[in-house]
Amino acid sequence: MPDFPDDDSPIALSAYEELAERFAAQIDTKAENAYYERPATLSLLPDVKGMSVLDAGCGPGVYAEWLVSHGAEVLAVDVSPRMVECAKKRLGSKAEVRLNDLGKPLDFLDNESFDLILSALVLDYIRDWGRLFSEFHRILRHSGYLVFSVGHPFTDFLHIKRPDYFATEAVEVTWTSFSPPVTVPYFRRPLDEMINTIVKSGFTLDEVLEPEPSEELKRKCPRIRRGLSKLPGFICFRARKV
Ligand SMILES: C[S@@+](CC[C@H](N)C(=O)[O-])C[C@H]1O[C@@H](n2cnc3c(N)ncnc32)[C@H](O)[C@@H]1O
């Protein structure tokens, strides 16, 4: 397992730099994303028409594209220059894409400037949720939405085989579905840390979703579907600024 980093450098930056183009090539059809995580996270969104939205950790820009096509104005940010290039290629002039580290203060963003922050499968790479969530709270308008998905803390704990559920720690996973495989470090944390950080940062928790496999996943990937119908791969949250 990787050492717990003693600085603020983005833990998964080099992994995503290595992965960017291959990730971008697969994102529309990769089963766990396209037919499992994405339908679940999208189901938590309000009507985004006319909203100003931050896509926090946009990757190749598939969520930003969806948001724009549903009438939102989108700023997409990501820490990986190669991912940012992929997102720019996908989005063209439809949305602004910027290189930024969510692990640092978001001082390039004004107070109360967004109606919605969407962050799909990104917060696993952020050590200090408290700092980021207070920034999210600052830049959201009153009653604004925060919708995000992360690895499910129980499933992660079972798979990663660590001795202490209660620890927040740096761990890693090797994604063999990419050729060659890529090892991606991330932070694992217990469920109470997730929920308490949301609530203590000034949000109310609206909904929590432990997704069950979609019909499309059942049809397209019965093997993946079997595992996910017994143990959720991800957990999705919708919170609101109060
Ligand atoms: C699993 S991908 C998800 C991409 C996109 N949200 C999606 O669901 O298609 C994780 C993304 O988080 C980005 N990321 C990781 N650490 C980050 C950080 N500290 N700041 C901003 N983005 C980060 C990675 O570069 C990568 O694009």
Side-chain angles (χ1 to χ4, degrees):
M1 286 298 145
D3 290 335
F4 203 101
D6 51 14
D7 62 19
D8 268 352
S9 53
I11 190 171
L13 173 56
S14 57
Y16 277 104
E17 281 290 273
E18 195 182 335
L19 203 55
E21 288 78 14
R22 285 179 284 158
F23 191 90
Q26 292 192 18
I27 192 65
D28 291 294
T29 52
K30 194 168 180 302
E32 294 90 336
N33 298 78
Y35 314 125
Y36 182 61
E37 186 274 336
R38 238 172 9 249
T41 301
L42 291 175
S43 78
L44 293 183
L45 293 185
D47 179 1
V48 300
K49 192 161 188 233
M51 282 190 169
S52 167
V53 183
L54 176 68
D55 182 356
C58 61
V62 64
Y63 271 102
E65 187 176 56
W66 186 96
L67 290 161
V68 168
S69 74
H70 286 76
E73 186 185 316
V74 180
L75 171 63
V77 303
D78 200 282
V79 77
S80 153
R82 293 175 78 163
M83 278 294 192
V84 165
E85 279 317 303
C86 293
K88 283 186 172 166
K89 210 181 285 173
R90 182 172 191 127
L91 293 163
S93 59
K94 288 189 238 166
E96 186 185 350
V97 186
R98 290 179 59 158
L99 184 67
N100 279 108
D101 180 358
L102 295 166
K104 305 275 181 334
L106 307 180
D107 41 22
F108 59 101
L109 297 173
D110 290 338
N111 293 353
E112 304 190 0
S113 47
F114 293 96
D115 304 298
L116 164 69
I117 298 169
L118 170 67
S119 190
L121 303 180
V122 178
L123 299 183
D124 301 290
Y125 307 112
I126 304 295
R127 172 167 43 179
D128 188 346
W129 277 27
R131 184 163 73 180
L132 180 58
F133 277 55
S134 76
E135 283 291 78
F136 281 167
H137 191 270
R138 178 183 66 75
I139 64 175
L140 269 180
R141 297 199 173 106
H142 184 68
S143 300
Y145 293 87
L146 169 62
V147 173
F148 68 95
S149 60
V150 288
H152 197 290
F154 303 164
T155 312
D156 268 3
F157 180 65
L158 287 175
H159 285 160
I160 218 92
K161 298 193 171 48
R162 299 291 294 162
D164 180 4
Y165 170 77
F166 297 105
T168 295
E169 56 187 349
V171 294
E172 62 190 19
V173 61
T174 299
W175 288 345
T176 50
S177 57
F178 292 97
S179 173
V182 178
T183 296
V184 184
Y186 66 100
F187 295 102
R188 193 198 67 72
R189 72 195 82 221
L191 182 62
D192 69 351
E193 189 185 317
M194 293 181 178
I195 292 175
N196 289 331
T197 309
I198 297 170
V199 174
K200 286 180 183 167
S201 306
F203 291 94
T204 54
L205 194 50
D206 249 7
E207 192 168 339
V208 179
L209 181 58
E210 296 175 302
E212 294 196 34
S214 65
E215 286 305 315
E216 209 167 2
L217 185 70
K218 286 181 192 168
R219 277 198 311 279
K220 292 195 166 146
C221 300
R223 188 186 53 81
I224 294 178
R225 175 249 159 187
R226 267 194 296 281
L228 290 172
S229 61
K230 300 288 177 220
L231 198 57
F234 304 112
I235 188 166
C236 313
F237 296 92
R238 183 177 67 209
R240 290 191 88 172
K241 174 171 173 173
V242 287

